[in-house]
């Protein structure tokens, strides 16, 4: 056999180059994908921020009857700023609370509303009107009443978590079922009291039953804003722990994390966020779910240090764009939260049907 035809000759070396080069080509394909993913997520964040800023400027300046730059113009803009601050508080609270709650429960269909926050709010409002008539509607409005409602909601949730996630129970599914039952019971009690109201009392009460930015009072913001920002910041700082919690109890425990304690802390912070949001503007069942679902679809990352702020930004963008369009284009300002809840409920049904289970 001649040297040229020998299997070990250099002539056979080129035939092996594609095999040796395969790992390098895969590496070249993987690294740009990672960079493209980061660039795509950064682009989405910038795009959402630009849209949110544009909608905010529109809310502040559109249809302002005063001359631009005049004292009256800035007075009207200042009143509208309070509305935007309320929207921001609700958006951050709902977005962060829903993402954290779904991580703690390992279920991307559930929302914190399942624990009965809205039902408790409705029961308090209905009970006041039932006991004191139309005057009762004013008795639950004010800073002390706002703080009392928030404290009641946090205490209710904390007692439920502490009872059902410790001791011999320690069962997440049992906690969720008990929350559903309590929420249903409070809802039934509210419905019973509403049937006994006079038409005028029921009409006054109805305005409080739907979540509305108009329900927010400027006196509430110095308390709601710091509470939401602090709790949301703590959740963000503990984002890596949430990443581990998302792996499940067994994996988190094997990595040295006290899973039960971490879940209870997450749920406690979720209860504070939901209490502030619900006490500030009323029930908004599907806003957080809509924001969280869009965030998962758009950003496609397990990192909670990105998911948490992104969910708040998505929720803020949804509310500001809806507020601008329905206030200045369709002249249906009071329907903002109703439309958002309708769209959120539709998204919930679509996701539920696609998954085929809870």
């Amino acid at each position: 056999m001649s040297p040229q035809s020998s299997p070990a000759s250099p002539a056979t070396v080129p035939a092996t180059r594609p095999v040796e080069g395969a790992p390098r080509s895969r590496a070249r394909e993987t690294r740009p994908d990672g960079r493209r993913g980061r660039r795509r997520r950064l682009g989405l964040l910038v795009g959402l921020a630009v849209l949110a800023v544009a909608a905010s400027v529109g809310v502040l300046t559109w249809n302002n009857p005063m001359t631009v730059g005049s004292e009256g113009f800035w007075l009207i803009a200042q009143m509208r700023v309070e509305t935007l601050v309320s929207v921001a508080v609700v958006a951050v609270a709902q977005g962060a609370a829903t993402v954290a709650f779904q991580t703690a429960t390992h279920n991307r269909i559930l929302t914190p509303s399942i624990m009965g926050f809205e039902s408790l709010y409705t029961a308090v409002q209905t009970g006041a009107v039932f006991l004191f008539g139309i005057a009762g509607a004013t008795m639950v409005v004010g800073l002390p009443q706002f703080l009392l409602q928030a404290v009641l909601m946090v205490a209710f949730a904390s007692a439920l978590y502490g009872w059902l996630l410790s001791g011999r129970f320690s069962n997440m599914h049992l906690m969720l079922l008990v929350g559903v039952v309590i929420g249903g019971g409070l809802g039934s009690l509210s419905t019973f009291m509403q049937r006994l109201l006079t038409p005028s009392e029921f009409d006054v009460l109805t305005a409080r039953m739907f979540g509305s930015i108009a329900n927010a009072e400027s006196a509430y913001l110095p308390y709601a804003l710091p509470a939401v920002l602090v709790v949301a910041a703590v959740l963000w700082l503990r984002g890596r722990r949430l990443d581990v919690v998302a792996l499940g109890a067994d994996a988190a425990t094997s990595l040295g994390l006290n899973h039960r304690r971490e879940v209870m802390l997450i749920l406690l912070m979720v209860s504070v966020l939901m209490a502030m949001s619900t006490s500030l503007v009323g029930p908004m069942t599907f806003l957080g779910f809509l924001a969280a679902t869009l965030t998962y679809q758009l950003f496609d990352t397990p990192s909670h240090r990105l998911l948490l702020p992104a969910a708040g930004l998505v929720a803020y963008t949804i509310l500001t764009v809806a507020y601008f369009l329905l206030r200045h284009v369709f002249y249906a300002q009071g329907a903002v939260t109703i439309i958002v809840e309708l769209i959120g409920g539709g998204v919930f049904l679509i996701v539920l049907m696609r998954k085929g289970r809870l």
Side-chain angles (χ1 to χ4, degrees), residues 70-298:
S70 65
E71 183 179 355
F73 177 89
W74 291 115
L75 286 175
I76 294 175
Q78 182 179 356
M79 291 187 291
R80 294 181 178 182
V81 165
E82 294 177 356
T83 298
L84 289 179
V85 173
S86 300
V87 168
V89 170
V90 172
V92 172
Q94 291 278 345
T98 304
V99 170
F101 185 81
Q102 291 177 348
T103 298
T105 58
H106 302 284
N107 192 313
R108 288 190 173 182
I109 290 182
L110 299 178
T111 68
S113 302
I114 198 174
M115 302 309 300
F117 291 102
E118 281 82 358
S119 298
L120 181 60
Y121 174 88
T122 302
V124 171
Q125 299 288 327
T126 305
V129 176
F130 178 78
L131 294 175
F132 303 103
I134 294 178
T138 60
M139 295 177 64
V140 292
V141 177
L143 182 57
Q145 293 84 343
F146 165 77
L147 296 175
L148 179 60
Q149 285 187 94
V151 169
L152 282 176
M153 291 180 188
V154 174
F156 166 76
S158 301
L160 191 62
Y161 302 151
W163 173 43
L164 295 176
L165 290 181
S166 61
R168 62 188 182 90
F169 294 104
S170 186
N171 190 310
M172 178 67 70
H173 296 94
L174 179 62
M175 182 199 73
L176 296 174
L177 289 174
V178 171
V180 170
V181 171
I182 293 177
L186 290 174
S188 299
L189 178 62
S190 299
T191 302
F192 173 75
M193 290 188 291
Q194 289 169 14
R195 289 184 177 274
L196 300 178
L197 298 177
T198 64
S200 58
E201 291 172 343
F202 182 78
D203 186 55
V204 171
L205 176 65
T206 302
R208 305 289 301 178
M209 292 299 98
F210 294 100
S212 175
I213 302 301
N215 290 339
E217 299 286 343
S218 58
Y220 303 164
L221 294 177
Y223 299 89
L225 179 60
V228 169
L229 290 180
V230 168
V231 174
V234 171
L235 276 174
W236 184 83
L237 291 173
R238 300 175 69 87
R240 300 192 196 282
R241 290 176 173 265
L242 269 71
D243 296 342
V244 178
V245 170
L247 299 175
D250 294 338
T253 302
S254 66
L255 291 173
L257 188 70
N258 188 329
H259 183 267
R260 182 187 301 176
R261 184 183 67 184
E262 198 65 30
V263 166
M264 291 185 67
L265 287 174
I266 292 172
L267 293 177
L268 179 61
M269 288 186 280
V270 166
S271 67
V272 174
L273 293 174
M274 290 300 298
M276 287 297 164
S277 172
T278 306
S279 299
L280 185 65
V281 300
M284 301 189 74
T285 305
F286 291 111
L287 172 63
F289 175 82
L290 178 61
T293 301
L294 291 177
T295 300
Y296 298 141
Q297 295 296 321
L298 291 174

